[in-house]
Amino acid sequence: TSAPPALLTGDHHRAAHAVAGRTGIPADGVRADLLPHQKAEAVRDLGGQVLFVGDGVNDAPALAAAHTGIAMGRGGSDLALETADAVLVHDDLTAVPKAVALSRRARRLVVQNLCLAGAFIAVLVVWDLAWHLPLPLGVAGHEGSTILVGLNGLRLLRESAWRE
């Protein structure tokens, strides 16, 4: 389960609560007037796997403290861009859920590819140990699995993979 979003900002508390009200962030999830080290402490206090989105030099410590840090690329500081795990090139917060969904699909695909390659290798090894596997057939089986893994990975390049 995911925790409700929180707003950690160095801005004044009135501005922070106004933004929180417009974005659906609960009032108890707003922490304003934070210095950079206080943002990092707040991220650690949230515990678990925290996704932090920031764009400035003041966000770099929190980006580093978070499980996953995403920097906003167009207006982001160089330090934030270097510290973050991912960078959104366009300053569009609506892209964050899309990026998270795409990363989850990519992770599932990596696991599929590891299982597929492992299964092929296991079959080839058992075949060679139990019977005799001719070298050309072993090479063809291994390279065939590599081609299948590559083709499976190419599925992320389809337009449908980028839709929600």
Side-chain angles (χ1 to χ4, degrees):
T1 63
S2 62
L7 177 62
L8 309 175
T9 182
D11 295 334
H12 191 268
H13 72 276
R14 264 191 257 147
H17 283 284
V19 169
R22 287 190 208 132
T23 57
I25 296 174
D28 62 344
V30 176
R31 298 185 198 176
D33 298 314
L34 297 176
L35 296 173
H37 71 278
Q38 292 171 319
K39 283 185 190 179
E41 288 171 14
V43 166
R44 285 195 231 22
D45 290 345
L46 289 171
Q49 295 185 348
V50 175
L51 171 70
F52 185 85
V53 181
D55 65 350
V57 173
N58 295 337
D59 294 325
L63 286 166
H67 181 265
T68 305
I70 298 179
M72 303 306 280
R74 185 174 293 165
S77 73
D78 290 341
L79 184 58
L81 298 176
E82 288 291 325
T83 306
D85 298 305
V87 176
L88 295 179
V89 178
H90 302 289
D91 292 343
D92 180 14
L93 282 175
T94 62
V96 172
K98 294 175 187 176
V100 169
L102 183 62
S103 70
R104 287 180 176 155
R105 282 195 295 277
R107 185 178 190 289
R108 278 194 303 270
L109 199 95
V110 167
V111 170
Q112 287 174 7
N113 283 344
L114 288 172
C115 290
L116 182 65
F120 262 84
I121 298 295
V123 166
L124 292 173
V125 166
V126 168
W127 185 351
D128 192 45
L129 292 175
W131 303 282
H132 173 68
L133 176 64
L135 182 61
L137 193 55
V139 170
H142 181 268
E143 297 309 315
S145 72
T146 303
I147 290 170
L148 285 176
V149 162
L151 291 173
N152 193 32
L154 287 174
R155 293 185 315 149
L156 281 180
L157 296 179
R158 293 184 308 187
E159 179 127 356
S160 62
W162 294 81
R163 285 190 225 121
E164 286 186 60

